[in-house]
């Protein structure tokens, strides 16, 4: 067994120049080609038991090198170079636990609002009705709906102890919405 390994090792070493030349033509980069040859040799050595003595070693090695190159090529095609971490920063997601707890707190605070304010806030803030549409639904003046929504937002801000949009995390959309709503609520 040791004799087979020694001859196999010699054959691998003898194939390095041809493997390297082929790798350079595939990659177009000498350093990348050297890495590819090294990876090929490591794979060949680890699978030396599957190599059948007497078959064409160079063809086997070239197949390993070529398959390794194309596997890495496909993998790199899906990857994005992000040396400064700016792309990763945009892709990060925040823990869901806080969002779920914020929702629980919000639901509890919503139940503390007077029914007329809660109704106006849900119609305008959550259901997407305009103040005019909500006034028709509630059977009151548009100014009354605007007042109820404004008071409901101010009360929720107070109950939830919200001082700024930063209290709701770094989500830019949430911050933009909250900054306009908080400034309106604090004006009352």
């Amino acid at each position: 067994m040791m004799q087979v390994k020694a001859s196999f090792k010699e054959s691998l070493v003898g194939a390095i120049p041809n493997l390297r030349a082929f790798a350079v033509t595939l990659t177009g980069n000498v350093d990348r080609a050297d890495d590819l040859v090294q990876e090929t040799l490591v794979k060949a050595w680890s699978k030396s038991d599957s190599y059948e003595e007497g078959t064409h070693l160079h063809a086997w090695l070239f197949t390993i090198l070529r398959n390794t190159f194309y596997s890495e090529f496909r993998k790199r095609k899906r990857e994005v170079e992000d040396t400064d971490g700016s792309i990763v920063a945009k892709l990060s997601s925040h823990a869901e636990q806080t969002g779920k707890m914020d929702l629980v707190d919000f639901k509890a605070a919503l139940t503390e609002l007077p029914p007329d304010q809660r109704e106006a806030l849900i119609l305008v803030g959550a259901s997407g009705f305009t103040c005019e549409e909500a006034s028709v639904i509630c059977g009151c003046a548009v100014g009354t709906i605007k007042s109820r929504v404004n008071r409901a937002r101010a009360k929720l801000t107070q109950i939830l102890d919200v001082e700024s949009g930063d209290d709701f995390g770094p989500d830019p959309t949430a911050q933009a919405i909250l900054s306009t709503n908080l400034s309106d609520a604090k004006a009352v």
Side-chain angles (χ1 to χ4, degrees):
M1 183 69 177
M2 192 57 111
Q3 188 71 350
V4 173
K5 288 287 185 181
S7 66
F8 184 75
K9 179 181 175 183
E10 290 172 12
S11 298
L12 286 181
V13 170
I16 290 175
N18 293 334
L19 288 172
R20 189 167 186 270
F22 183 55
V24 168
T25 61
L26 286 176
T27 63
N29 179 308
V30 174
D31 293 330
R32 178 69 198 105
D34 289 340
D35 291 342
L36 187 57
V37 169
Q38 180 178 350
E39 183 68 24
T40 301
L41 294 173
V42 168
K43 286 181 179 183
W45 187 259
S46 69
K47 299 292 182 184
S48 62
D49 298 343
S50 67
Y51 174 70
E52 294 179 27
E53 192 69 34
T55 59
H56 199 273
L57 178 68
H58 280 77
W60 186 62
L61 292 172
F62 274 65
T63 301
I64 293 171
L65 186 139
R66 183 182 175 279
N67 289 344
T68 302
F69 171 75
Y70 283 114
S71 293
E72 290 178 6
F73 180 78
R74 283 188 298 273
K75 180 181 171 188
R76 288 177 195 248
K77 226 168 118 173
R78 294 184 300 264
E79 295 176 352
V80 176
E81 188 172 327
D82 187 23
T83 54
D84 63 352
S86 62
I87 295 173
V88 170
K90 293 177 188 173
L91 296 177
S92 65
S93 61
H94 304 286
E96 291 183 24
Q97 297 88 341
T98 26
K100 288 180 181 179
M101 294 312 297
D102 286 344
L103 183 59
V104 168
D105 292 344
F106 177 76
K107 285 179 180 179
L110 196 58
T111 62
E112 292 183 36
L113 294 176
D116 61 337
Q117 290 179 11
R118 183 173 50 245
E119 178 184 48
L121 185 64
I122 290 172
L123 287 172
V124 175
S127 298
F129 290 106
T130 64
C131 289
E132 290 78 16
E133 293 167 331
S135 71
V136 171
I137 293 169
C138 294
C140 62
V142 175
T144 304
I145 291 294
K146 289 180 180 180
S147 176
R148 288 177 183 172
V149 169
N150 199 20
R151 283 182 286 163
R153 287 179 177 164
K155 183 72 173 172
L156 282 176
T157 301
Q158 179 188 7
I159 294 169
L160 294 172
D161 194 29
V162 176
E163 294 185 20
S164 73
D166 295 334
D167 293 342
F168 289 95
D171 179 22
T173 306
Q175 284 184 348
I177 292 168
L178 290 172
S179 65
T180 57
N181 291 341
L182 287 174
S183 62
D184 292 344
K186 289 189 180 200
V188 174

